[in-house]
Amino acid sequence: MAPFLPPNVILSGFKERIESLLAQGDKLYVGTATGNLYVYLVHNGESSEGEKRAELLETKKALSRRAIEQLAYVQDINSLAVLSDGSVTLYPLPSFSPPTSLPKTKGALSIAVHTVVEHEDEAQAATQSDGSISAAKNRGGVPVVITYLAVGCKRKVVFYSWKDGEPQDVKETTLPHSPRTVAFMNGDTLCFGYTPSDYVLFSLKSMTTIDITVPAPTSTSAASIGSMGMGMGMGMGMGKGAFSGLSGYMTLGLGTKTKPNALRVDEKSFLVAKDNTGYFIGEDGKLSRPVSIDWPAPPEETAFVKPYVFSVLPPGSVPSSQVTAHDTSAPSFIPSAVVEIRSSITLLPVQTLPLPLIHPPPGAPPTSSNQTVRLLTSSPACKSPLYLVTTPSDRTTANVEGSSIVEFLMKPWAMQIDELVEAESYTEALSLLDSLESALLPDKEQRKNLIRALNAVLLFRTGHFAQALNTFIELNTNPAKVVALYPESVAGRLSVPPEEWVSLFGGPRKVTKSESSSIDDPGSSLEETKPQDAGSSIQRPPSPHGSVKSMLKTGLENIIAGAKKDDDTSSVRSKRKEPPKGPYKLQCTLIASRLIFSCYPTDDFRRSIEELMRYLSDRRPKIGGALDTFHITNTQAHEMPPLSAASIEDLFALPDAPLSALTPEQLVRYAQIVDTALFKSYLIVRPGLLVPLCRSGNWCEVSEVEKELRAREKFTELIYLYNGRKMHGKALDLLRHLSEKEADMRDKLMPSVTYLQRLGPEHIDQIFESARWIFDQDPDIALEIFTSEEVELPRQHVADYLEMLDLDICAHYIEFLIAERNEQSATFHERLAELYLRMTSDARKHGDNEKRKGTYGKLLHFLDTTNYYRPDRLYGLLPSEDFYEAKAILLGRLGRHDNALETYVYRLQDFQKAEEYCKRIYDPSGPTSSIFLTLLRIYLRPTHQPTSPTIDLLHPALKLISRHSPRLDIVETLKLLPPLVTAQDARAFLVEALRAPVFDKKVISGIAKARDEQIARRLMVLQAKRVKVTDSRICPQCHKRIGGSVIAVHAPRGEVTHYQCREAFSRKLKELRH
């Protein structure tokens, strides 16, 4: 990527020797060796053919008696500072009069100007503290413009300053050496260059110097490197006349001693050139960056156009491969001087221009390459354009052609970044973006996010999966694009070929000649594909050992795992290497017209899946949280449109945005993509995690994974997946299919039963449909579907379904509801009675007496023990014949006890049950107090003819009065007894009747009354007893006077002792009594 446009000559044929340049706005000031000053107006835009962009505005002849060595612009006073004849003079613009000579600058060698905006409060505080003005760093107070003019003189430095145009006190200090170069870092720190290898920092606030500390030079000196390069260039094809113009160059006076090179990079660092190394120096005089610039030879001149470093390198020092592709017929080193442009961010060459910089049009005489380049001059604030002076080295040619001023214009920032992106130099593009302010590039953030994403793609391609996916997380990248980087086994239909990754993430889609030719000619071999030069970018040269470039791996070296590294100068088009043997996956991809082999070991593929799972696991809970804000959960996945309903284009078009900025529909798509990819990843490397994923609920697209699960016989996971997506029909069909392999009935049916037990009422139809085949196999096991405690199903619907299948099964179900679930509704109780009735009738019709007996017994027990039914309704269901015992129970529930007893006696002739019935309902204080008398009346006064005319009812009547005489009214009983009944037959009844229960009551009452009176008398006697304690009363235990002490009274005689003597006296009394 070439950041600068092709150089443009704005002025040519200048016959005087140019000694200084100054660019200020649209004006260019040119100082000559004869003391003349030329002012040119530089037009913006490209020059038309045959026209020069510099227009001469004014000429100041003999502005100085001697050569104008340096020019500077003092903004505060709108004046031009001219260094000439060892002193500095200020010329007001635009009139250049009256000039102001600065007397303290005699012996001046260099000048530098710096303008800073400070604030009144801090400036005053700094001035009051030490008399100097330091750079302000706060933002309070009134802004003040302060301009400094530093003049380096012989063994001293002089500072002139202006504050809002008002001159301030002049300051000067002595130095150990003469500063031949002066450069400002900021309003307080400067750099002085004494010699090309000796630099110091200077603090304007303290007026002291700070030594610069740099690493010790390597064993190979800069001079030896330069001479080695020169000798190699001459010996390897530079030609006899490669340096033929050097004598003329020297006689022109252009070969003066090299000056120190110190460049201001930013407000916190300088770049100083020592030999062939450029060091970045901070405010403390130490290295601000651990890396340095390694030039092939010491640069003759340097300049800085943010963020690029210009340097002029001598002939024979730059390899030819840095400019053009390797050509065996060309010399190994460029025989002419070279203008090299490096990025101050990456420190790598980005543009290399050998002389001549301007090539003549076709048909014109060739331009000599023997030229010198001087006076690299950037615009104010280190901005574009940059100007330099080229002069033929040959004296005769120089006299004829004169010197030329060449302009370097930087390409727009957007164009530079686009070219870097096209060249896949994403790291450099990001570094360049970080160095720019948002005002220079309004869409900086959008570009930065795009390039970071493309850089992540490059990292992914080269095997740095963790870094790539971390970047995707930070950028909130659409997960569909991330998943698309994986093969179809993971990404499914989202998978994208590697050659389309860049365009997928918004990068340029490059179709090169090599690609198009290979497409047009399928028979062409891959070895014939040649790399195509992108734009006007120039290949980068090999770097010296220990340089930054040597520490960076090329994309090809990173991609080819385990491949042997080639030499930096080897061609990509060399003989094709065989991929490593073993369990490797070979993926040959033609990307950006370069043949790239992507040989990923199986371990790398697994590692990429592991990193994908980490990425998806990070996205999954965050997407779930975002969906929760819209009250959407994965339990609603079956209600959402499936992932397969969306086209691939729609999925890739989902925005790369924070989750909080997405719509519910977009979040659902995110969730579906993430869960589907996570499911497939688990399937490949972590099958054991599939079950937890399916159990916890997910958004996985079933259609993309079910075939794979079936093929791998992951039936458990597939069933859980079906269940989570409410595809119960498929799950139950699969369970039924799997049951065919089981021999044991319970093992065969229980998986389906367990599944059906967990389905809710909303799936009642599915339950009924799928349960039918289970009932056909084993009704008892099938009934567990509806008796489980997992989910409560609608009881009425279940009873209807079971009744349709089998009455017995339905009866078992209702029995379970009543016994286990405490069902108390009359509906189910009556339904159970009806079932018993129908089952009994059916058994009688089929002649199954055993079943009829058992079912009828259940009916009788049920009617007799439960109260949650309507007896009148059930009684109406009973047939007129048969079911007499059931009728008796129901008549009793209706309160028709006499009819119930008549049924027991006349129909059933079961006297014991009749008597038991009377015992059960007898209530001596209630309406059934005469129930035994009613039974006796039925025995002795029949109202219906018994079913058997020979039955004797007198015998059970006599047994009744003998056993239950206390519960019978004596008079009424005697009235009912027939006259022929002897006293002996009714003896037990008569004896019980003759007993005087009134006498017994009076005796008991009298005894109780006497007992109460006795107790009352004893209480009165005890309450009448008292003891009197006088002053003379003596304790019978210790024989001391009691006085006012606490006392204890002993029963029954009332002895009085001290309280502490009570226990001893009690023991004494006890011994005496025994």
Side-chain angles (χ1 to χ4, degrees):
M1 190 280 296
F4 286 83
L5 297 172
N8 180 41
V9 176
I10 63 170
L11 181 65
S12 61
F14 196 88
K15 299 304 176 62
E16 295 186 47
R17 193 180 73 196
I18 302 174
E19 291 290 346
S20 58
L21 291 177
L22 173 65
Q24 183 63 40
D26 58 352
K27 294 182 180 179
L28 181 65
Y29 297 88
V30 180
T32 66
T34 58
N36 298 329
L37 180 68
Y38 296 87
V39 182
Y40 288 91
L41 176 64
V42 180
H43 297 286
N44 294 327
E46 298 290 341
S47 61
S48 59
E49 186 175 356
E51 292 186 5
K52 305 304 180 183
R53 289 180 50 201
E55 177 185 353
L56 182 62
L57 294 181
E58 188 176 4
T59 301
K60 293 295 182 181
K61 294 289 187 179
L63 185 69
S64 174
R65 292 180 300 175
R66 301 198 174 219
I68 299 177
E69 300 175 13
Q70 196 172 351
L71 297 171
Y73 175 72
V74 183
Q75 178 180 346
D76 242 15
I77 56 176
N78 192 28
S79 298
L80 191 67
V82 177
L83 171 60
S84 178
D85 196 16
S87 64
V88 178
T89 305
L90 298 178
Y91 293 90
L93 296 178
S95 62
F96 289 91
S97 64
T100 302
S101 178
L102 304 179
K104 293 188 177 182
T105 62
K106 289 186 177 180
L109 300 174
S110 59
I111 59 176
V113 176
H114 182 72
T115 301
V116 64
V117 178
E118 296 184 353
H119 292 79
E120 186 71 28
D121 295 342
E122 186 175 353
Q124 290 179 355
T127 303
Q128 292 173 2
S129 62
D130 57 7
S132 65
I133 303 175
S134 62
K137 295 183 180 180
N138 62 6
R139 298 300 177 188
V142 179
V144 178
V145 178
I146 300 178
T147 301
Y148 301 94
L149 172 61
V151 182
C153 305
K154 293 182 179 180
R155 295 184 179 273
K156 72 173 182 177
V157 61
V158 181
F159 293 97
Y160 292 84
S161 61
W162 293 264
K163 177 179 174 182
D164 281 345
E166 297 295 328
Q168 306 295 307
D169 295 338
V170 180
K171 301 173 186 177
E172 65 177 286
T173 184
T174 58
L175 298 173
H177 302 286
S178 300
R180 302 186 61 213
T181 296
V182 179
F184 276 91
M185 178 187 295
N186 49 47
D188 180 62
T189 306
L190 298 87
C191 180
F192 295 155
Y194 296 143
T195 66
S197 60
D198 188 10
Y199 300 88
V200 296
L201 297 186
F202 183 83
S203 174
L204 184 58
K205 183 177 181 179
S206 61
M207 301 296 284
T208 57
T209 59
I210 303 173
D211 292 335
I212 292 178
T213 304
V214 296
T218 58
S219 58
T220 304
S221 65
S224 63
I225 294 175
S227 62
M228 180 176 63
M230 187 77 70
M232 291 178 64
M234 294 179 67
M236 298 180 68
M238 285 184 63
K240 181 179 179 180
F243 297 96
S244 60
L246 287 179
S247 59
Y249 171 81
M250 299 300 294
T251 56
L252 283 173
L254 302 179
T256 57
K257 187 176 181 181
T258 303
K259 288 185 178 182
N261 291 305
L263 304 176
R264 176 183 181 271
V265 177
D266 52 43
E267 291 187 353
K268 294 184 178 180
S269 62
F270 282 110
L271 174 65
V272 298
K274 298 185 71 174
D275 297 331
N276 65 324
T277 306
Y279 299 101
F280 292 90
I281 308 299
E283 293 178 298
D284 56 354
K286 299 179 181 178
L287 295 180
S288 61
R289 294 171 64 173
V291 292
S292 58
I293 297 178
D294 289 333
W295 286 292
E300 297 176 352
E301 285 200 36
T302 59
F304 185 73
V305 177
K306 186 177 181 179
Y308 300 102
V309 178
F310 281 73
S311 57
V312 179
L313 301 177
S317 61
V318 179
S320 300
S321 60
Q322 187 169 332
V323 179
T324 59
H326 181 67
D327 186 359
T328 55
S329 62
S332 299
F333 288 84
I334 300 173
S336 62
V338 173
V339 176
E340 183 186 72
I341 306 173
R342 287 178 180 256
S343 169
S344 65
I345 301 171
T346 63
L347 309 186
L348 299 175
V350 294
Q351 200 168 353
T352 304
L353 302 169
L355 269 64
L357 298 177
I358 307 300
H359 297 278
T367 304
S368 173
S369 62
N370 293 327
Q371 295 182 349
T372 60
V373 181
R374 301 181 300 116
L375 303 178
L376 274 64
T377 305
S378 62
S379 297
C382 300
K383 294 182 179 180
S384 173
L386 176 134
Y387 301 95
L388 55 82
V389 177
T390 62
T391 306
S393 301
D394 182 73
R395 180 175 182 179
T396 303
T397 307
N399 290 334
V400 174
E401 297 181 0
S403 300
S404 299
I405 299 178
V406 180
E407 178 188 55
F408 282 82
L409 278 174
M410 187 188 297
K411 295 179 181 178
W413 297 113
M415 182 183 296
Q416 294 185 49
I417 294 170
D418 290 342
E419 290 181 356
L420 287 171
V421 169
E422 187 174 355
E424 297 185 0
S425 301
Y426 303 126
T427 303
E428 297 179 18
L430 287 172
S431 301
L432 180 59
L433 271 175
D434 291 337
S435 67
L436 300 180
E437 298 178 359
S438 299
L440 298 175
L441 204 60
D443 58 345
K444 176 181 176 180
E445 288 303 319
Q446 292 83 346
R447 286 178 176 269
K448 184 175 182 180
N449 291 340
L450 171 63
I451 298 173
R452 288 187 64 192
L454 295 175
N455 187 54
V457 172
L458 181 60
L459 290 172
F460 186 89
R461 180 182 298 167
T462 55
H464 299 84
F465 308 115
Q467 299 178 31
L469 293 174
N470 288 338
T471 303
F472 291 141
I473 292 175
E474 295 172 6
L475 295 177
N476 295 299
T477 304
N478 175 7
K481 297 179 182 177
V482 179
V483 174
L485 302 177
Y486 287 83
E488 290 187 7
S489 59
V490 177
R493 64 191 182 109
L494 292 178
S495 181
V496 172
E499 60 267 20
E500 298 179 10
W501 286 355
V502 173
S503 59
L504 173 64
F505 282 80
R509 175 69 174 95
K510 291 196 260 185
V511 180
T512 61
K513 293 182 179 179
S514 59
E515 287 182 298
S516 59
S517 61
S518 63
I519 295 174
D520 295 339
D521 185 10
S524 60
S525 63
L526 293 176
E527 288 80 1
E528 295 174 353
T529 305
K530 296 183 178 181
Q532 187 71 19
D533 187 23
S536 59
S537 60
I538 300 173
Q539 294 182 356
R540 292 177 179 173
S543 300
H545 178 71
S547 66
V548 176
K549 187 176 181 181
S550 65
M551 294 186 288
L552 298 176
K553 292 183 178 180
T554 63
L556 185 60
E557 290 171 338
N558 283 330
I559 291 175
I560 302 179
K564 182 180 179 180
K565 296 182 180 179
D566 296 332
D567 186 73
D568 286 331
T569 58
S570 63
S571 172
V572 179
R573 297 169 295 173
S574 60
K575 182 178 179 181
R576 178 178 176 180
K577 297 183 179 180
E578 292 295 328
K581 297 181 179 180
Y584 284 78
K585 297 181 179 180
L586 180 60
Q587 183 183 18
C588 300
T589 307
L590 193 61
I591 301 176
S593 72
R594 297 192 301 267
L595 186 61
I596 297 180
F597 292 94
S598 300
C599 303
Y600 290 110
T602 304
D603 290 342
D604 284 353
F605 176 73
R606 183 181 181 88
R607 185 165 55 87
S608 70
I609 300 298
E610 295 282 357
E611 291 298 334
L612 177 64
M613 290 191 299
R614 180 181 64 82
Y615 164 80
L616 298 173
S617 299
D618 174 86
R619 299 284 85 190
R620 192 167 187 261
K622 295 177 181 178
I623 295 173
L627 284 170
D628 286 342
T629 60
F630 295 101
H631 307 289
I632 300 175
T633 62
N634 51 31
T635 58
Q636 302 169 262
H638 63 286
E639 302 174 4
M640 302 297 174
L643 185 65
S644 56
S647 65
I648 297 178
E649 292 74 15
D650 292 340
L651 297 179
F652 287 152
L654 291 173
D656 302 328
L659 299 178
S660 58
L662 300 179
T663 64
E665 294 78 10
Q666 293 169 342
L667 287 171
V668 167
R669 291 303 186 203
Y670 266 36
Q672 292 172 335
I673 295 167
V674 167
D675 280 8
T676 302
L678 185 61
F679 197 98
K680 292 183 177 180
S681 301
Y682 284 168
L683 192 61
I684 295 174
V685 298
R686 298 281 181 87
L689 296 178
L690 287 175
V691 173
L693 176 63
C694 296
R695 281 182 174 176
S696 62
N698 58 81
W699 294 89
C700 181
E701 181 68 12
V702 178
S703 61
E704 294 193 17
V705 298
E706 60 180 342
K707 181 183 290 187
E708 187 68 22
L709 288 174
R710 285 181 181 272
R712 300 192 182 200
E713 296 185 352
K714 299 287 185 180
F715 299 120
T716 302
E717 292 82 352
L718 184 56
I719 290 170
Y720 281 124
L721 181 61
Y722 284 148
N723 179 68
R725 300 307 299 274
K726 303 296 185 290
M727 303 172 71
H728 304 300
K730 286 190 173 184
L732 290 166
D733 290 343
L734 178 59
L735 286 171
R736 183 174 182 178
H737 174 72
L738 296 176
S739 69
E740 298 174 357
K741 302 178 182 179
E742 299 291 340
D744 183 76
M745 185 59 67
R746 192 158 192 88
D747 293 341
K748 181 177 184 179
L749 301 181
M750 280 310 296
S752 297
V753 171
T754 304
Y755 190 96
L756 290 170
Q757 286 175 341
R758 296 172 180 172
L759 297 183
E762 64 274 13
H763 305 291
I764 189 70
D765 294 335
Q766 181 68 57
I767 295 174
F768 291 161
E769 178 184 352
S770 301
R772 187 178 294 273
W773 75 273
I774 304 177
F775 277 105
D776 295 339
Q777 298 287 331
D778 191 317
D780 293 334
I781 296 178
L783 187 59
E784 295 181 18
I785 298 172
F786 306 103
T787 59
S788 170
E789 296 183 356
E790 293 279 348
V791 178
E792 181 71 22
L793 297 174
R795 298 177 179 180
Q796 189 66 41
H797 290 77
V798 173
D800 293 341
Y801 170 74
L802 295 179
E803 184 177 350
M804 180 181 63
L805 293 179
D806 189 271
L807 297 180
D808 193 22
I809 297 175
C810 183
H812 285 318
Y813 173 70
I814 299 178
E815 288 171 358
F816 167 79
L817 293 181
I818 295 173
E820 302 295 335
R821 300 292 174 84
N822 196 25
E823 178 61 59
Q824 297 180 356
S825 67
T827 303
F828 284 99
H829 287 74
E830 292 173 359
R831 186 166 189 169
L832 180 58
E834 293 178 25
L835 289 172
Y836 287 152
L837 182 59
R838 291 172 58 187
M839 292 163 60
T840 303
S841 300
D842 292 344
R844 185 179 63 178
K845 291 179 182 178
H846 294 87
D848 191 348
N849 293 327
E850 184 177 354
K851 182 177 181 181
R852 177 185 177 279
K853 184 178 179 181
T855 308
Y856 189 53
K858 288 183 178 180
L859 173 62
L860 295 177
H861 180 268
F862 175 76
L863 295 175
D864 200 24
T865 56
T866 184
N867 299 317
Y868 301 105
Y869 61 87
R870 293 169 291 177
D872 54 342
R873 181 179 180 278
L874 293 182
Y875 187 83
L877 296 176
L878 295 175
S880 57
E881 300 295 334
D882 205 355
F883 297 99
Y884 293 115
E885 188 173 355
K887 289 180 179 180
I889 296 173
L890 293 174
L891 287 170
R893 292 299 179 92
L894 291 171
R896 297 164 58 182
H897 305 297
D898 51 348
N899 298 110
L901 291 173
E902 289 175 354
T903 303
Y904 280 118
V905 174
Y906 301 144
R907 292 290 184 180
L908 298 175
Q909 298 177 12
D910 193 337
F911 310 123
Q912 183 179 356
K913 287 187 178 180
E915 190 174 334
E916 292 292 334
Y917 177 82
C918 293
K919 290 180 182 179
R920 189 166 60 250
I921 67 172
Y922 173 73
D923 183 4
S925 59
T928 59
S929 59
S930 61
I931 189 64
F932 286 96
L933 188 62
T934 303
L935 179 58
L936 182 62
R937 184 180 294 110
I938 291 172
Y939 283 148
L940 300 178
R941 299 285 191 271
T943 57
H944 295 81
Q945 183 66 32
T947 55
S948 177
T950 61
I951 187 172
D952 182 12
L953 298 178
L954 179 59
H955 183 67
L958 293 176
K959 287 185 176 181
L960 178 66
I961 62 175
S962 64
R963 287 196 293 265
H964 299 284
S965 57
R967 300 172 182 173
L968 293 170
D969 185 89
I970 299 173
V971 177
E972 293 295 329
T973 302
L974 291 175
K975 288 180 180 180
L976 291 175
L977 288 175
L980 297 180
V981 175
T982 64
Q984 182 63 30
D985 294 336
R987 182 177 181 279
F989 169 73
L990 294 174
V991 172
E992 186 70 26
L994 291 174
R995 182 176 294 174
V998 177
F999 172 77
D1000 295 340
K1001 291 182 180 178
K1002 288 183 178 180
V1003 171
I1004 293 172
S1005 178
I1007 294 173
K1009 185 176 180 180
R1011 175 65 177 167
D1012 292 341
E1013 290 177 354
Q1014 182 183 7
I1015 292 175
R1017 285 194 299 271
R1018 291 184 64 186
L1019 179 61
M1020 289 174 63
V1021 171
L1022 292 175
Q1023 289 178 346
K1025 289 185 178 182
R1026 292 179 175 82
V1027 294
K1028 185 177 181 180
V1029 180
T1030 62
D1031 292 340
S1032 59
R1033 186 148 186 163
I1034 303 301
C1035 174
Q1037 175 64 29
C1038 64
H1039 306 290
K1040 295 181 180 179
R1041 187 171 61 84
I1042 292 177
S1045 303
V1046 180
I1047 64 173
V1049 180
H1050 299 266
R1053 296 184 178 86
E1055 294 92 342
V1056 179
T1057 64
H1058 290 102
Y1059 182 78
Q1060 61 269 23
C1061 299
R1062 70 189 188 284
E1063 294 181 358
F1065 188 74
S1066 296
R1067 289 193 296 271
K1068 182 178 180 180
L1069 289 176
K1070 187 175 181 181
E1071 292 173 359
L1072 292 174
R1073 289 171 184 169
H1074 290 80

